Amino acid sequence: MYRKGRHYASDLLVVRALRSDRDVTRFGVAAGTALGGAVVRNRVKRRLREGLRTLDAPPGWDIVVSARKAAVRASYHQLLDDMTRLLVRASVLPKGERREGKSE
């Protein structure tokens, strides 16, 4: 995955995406020790997993979302917006993808 896939980065996150021949899309979430202690890392991972759950990703992708140090200070909505933007850049989500509950 890391060798064959493409990566897309921002200040908060790095998304690695690889097309697969599976009937589902698989997600992985990573938060290294540089982010802080276990409580901090787990909070960031919970926010990322919940954000991924709200997205309507089409089948056939393997995706790893890695948090950068700035993600610790980011809100859930900032992480979700950033993740959506990166997944659109990766062509995983369609260009006009909107997340659930986003107000106009």
Side-chain angles (χ1 to χ4, degrees), residues 81-96:
D81 289 342
D82 207 44
M83 187 171 14
T84 302
R85 192 174 323 111
L86 291 174
L87 290 172
V88 168
R89 278 184 45 205
S91 300
V92 173
L93 298 176
K95 194 165 193 127

Side-chain angles (χ1 to χ4, degrees), residues 10-25:
S10 70
D11 291 340
L12 302 177
L13 304 170
V14 176
V15 170
R16 290 178 176 84
L18 177 64
R19 199 75 156 118
S20 71
D21 56 356
R22 297 179 187 270
D23 295 335
V24 296
T25 292

Side-chain angles (χ1 to χ4, degrees), residues 13-58:
L13 304 170
V14 176
V15 170
R16 290 178 176 84
L18 177 64
R19 199 75 156 118
S20 71
D21 56 356
R22 297 179 187 270
D23 295 335
V24 296
T25 292
R26 300 185 303 174
F27 291 102
V29 176
T33 57
L35 296 182
V39 172
V40 172
R41 292 193 312 269
N42 289 334
R43 181 183 319 119
V44 171
K45 289 191 293 186
R46 278 194 310 271
R47 289 176 176 174
L48 293 175
R49 280 194 302 267
E50 179 61 19
L52 289 169
R53 190 190 66 75
T54 65
L55 297 176
D56 189 25

